[in-house]
Amino acid sequence: MDLVKLQRQLVDYRDSLYHECFLDEQFTQLQELQDENNPDFVVEVVSLFFEDSERLLNELTKALEQQSIDFKRVDAHVHQLKGSSSSIGAQRVQKSCIAFRNYCEEQNVEGCLTCLQLVRQEYYLVKSKLEALFKLEQQILSAGGSIPI
Amino acid sequence: MMLGNCATSSSLSTTSDEDIVNNNLTALVVDDSPMIRKLHDMHLKKFGLKVQVAENGKNAIDLFRCGASFNLILMDKEMPIMDGAEATRELRTMGVTSMIVGVTSLDSIFDRQAFMEAGLDHCFTKPLTTENINFLLQELNKNNEEN
């Protein structure tokens, strides 16, 4: 595929992610921090986010399987996930955590389980979107082009 | 992340007056999340500060006990071993006068107030933005001029 087409595809794809609220302004700030001294900064930060989130999702699953659920612990994990998702601009994940925390406060097990499913869904969605974005960027760079702003 | 064998620092973007002023400033990022540490480290380095990181409140205290000092401390609230409020209180008791800024995802005003009362100079909601850092650097440079 020619370079110009690839670049246009990237811009359109990236715009759609903002438009559909998968990403917000915070992701833009992240991209602005990247420079020629740190060309992989965004990918590195996002990879850390993936690691962190998957760990937290596992912890949440375990915590909600307990006979006697420690809602404070569940809330602490959701709170962490909310913080890290907002820090990279994963808006939909962040928003799904807000509802989750409300159910924790109410100690509503069903509510929490439903929210966990939703958060997990949103997380895997944004993960696949970001991976697709990075793949497009890589294709452009391999073709000798630069990433359009 | 130093320049290593590069003969010149031309790989850095044009040095502004800001960079020259901020080059003497040091910062400590205290957060249990590797992602946040990396993010805030980069944010501050972009403004020319020299940055170190610590994983929790206790590590931060230990750094000071070993004689380290910093102009600015970015302190997360929720951390294992020693949280941000306890670490802040301890640092103030030790006589640390650095600017300590809470960075937290706590929503409730009550929780933030309690964190401020531990001895913070400012408290921001995560994530830290460029505007927040601009503000902090202005404050830091103001303090330096006054001293």
Side-chain angles (χ1 to χ4, degrees):
Chain A
M1 203 192 277
D2 74 77
L3 189 57
V4 175
K5 240 186 177 161
L6 268 175
Q7 286 171 322
R8 194 169 347 199
Q9 198 184 340
L10 177 90
V11 171
D12 288 345
Y13 190 62
R14 199 171 54 201
D15 285 350
S16 76
L17 297 183
Y18 283 95
H19 196 65
E20 292 164 36
C21 298
F22 283 105
L23 297 176
D24 66 24
E25 161 66 23
Q26 194 57 28
F27 188 75
T28 314
Q29 292 224 354
L30 204 68
Q31 291 183 303
E32 286 169 2
L33 287 174
Q34 184 163 289
D35 58 25
E36 57 274 10
N37 286 339
N38 305 279
D40 301 318
F41 176 70
V42 177
V43 171
E44 286 169 1
V45 172
V46 172
S47 302
L48 285 171
F49 168 68
F50 290 161
E51 275 172 35
D52 216 19
S53 304
E54 283 167 39
R55 178 186 60 84
L56 287 168
L57 286 170
N58 285 339
E59 294 291 327
L60 281 166
T61 309
K62 267 195 284 197
L64 287 169
E65 277 170 357
Q66 300 305 306
Q67 280 277 34
S68 164
I69 297 174
D70 182 350
F71 283 99
K72 256 191 130 174
R73 193 182 166 80
V74 174
D75 183 65
H77 290 319
V78 180
H79 174 82
Q80 249 197 299
L81 185 55
K82 178 169 169 274
S84 58
S85 57
S86 76
S87 296
I88 68 141
Q91 201 190 90
R92 281 161 63 147
V93 177
Q94 180 201 350
K95 292 218 152 93
S96 61
C97 288
I98 296 174
F100 200 154
R101 294 196 74 198
N102 290 337
Y103 284 118
C104 287
E105 215 178 298
E106 293 168 19
Q107 307 214 347
N108 180 333
V109 184
E110 284 312 311
C112 283
L113 286 169
T114 307
C115 278
L116 177 58
Q117 215 175 337
L118 182 62
V119 171
R120 187 181 275 119
Q121 209 172 292
E122 289 296 346
Y123 165 70
Y124 281 108
L125 257 173
V126 80
K127 182 178 183 192
S128 67
K129 302 273 180 193
L130 284 167
E131 284 174 339
L133 185 70
F134 293 148
K135 198 167 180 192
L136 267 170
E137 287 183 351
Q138 215 28 66
Q139 280 178 292
I140 291 171
L141 292 172
S142 302
S146 61
I147 314 290
I149 300 167
Chain B
M1 270 199 270
M2 294 317 289
L3 298 171
N5 292 329
C6 293
T8 63
S9 53
S10 55
S11 50
L12 290 168
S13 47
T14 53
T15 310
S16 63
D17 289 333
E18 239 177 23
D19 289 342
I20 294 165
V21 170
N22 295 333
N23 254 337
N24 296 327
L25 296 176
T26 56
L28 177 66
V29 173
V30 190
D31 201 300
D32 60 334
S33 159
M35 191 196 93
I36 300 288
R37 286 198 301 270
K38 192 179 182 74
L39 193 55
H40 289 169
D41 171 88
M42 181 61 112
H43 253 305
L44 293 170
K45 277 187 171 134
K46 271 284 187 173
F47 280 87
L49 282 85
K50 293 183 180 47
V51 187
Q52 262 187 261
V53 298
E55 287 185 358
N56 58 57
K58 182 170 184 308
N59 288 1
I61 306 272
D62 289 344
L63 277 170
F64 275 89
R65 289 224 167 97
C66 291
S69 72
F70 304 91
N71 301 105
L72 171 68
I73 304 170
L74 291 185
M75 186 77 81
D76 181 25
K77 169 71 171 56
E78 310 289 331
M79 293 180 286
I81 303 174
M82 187 190 283
D83 77 8
E86 202 186 328
T88 304
R89 267 190 293 271
E90 180 67 25
L91 287 170
R92 294 305 191 203
T93 307
M94 284 163 64
V96 170
T97 54
S98 314
M99 180 180 289
I100 308 182
V101 176
V103 187
T104 173
S105 27
L106 289 172
D107 311 303
S108 99
I109 296 173
F110 178 76
D111 288 334
R112 289 162 65 95
Q113 187 57 33
F115 195 11
M116 281 294 293
E117 281 166 10
L120 298 179
D121 293 291
H122 304 284
C123 191
F124 290 123
T125 314
K126 267 183 207 177
L128 212 60
T129 63
T130 310
E131 290 75 21
N132 295 149
I133 299 179
N134 260 323
F135 168 78
L136 290 176
L137 291 174
Q138 274 169 28
E139 293 293 299
L140 274 171
N141 287 321
K142 235 193 286 177
N143 291 349
N144 278 354
E145 279 162 28
E146 282 165 12
N147 290 340

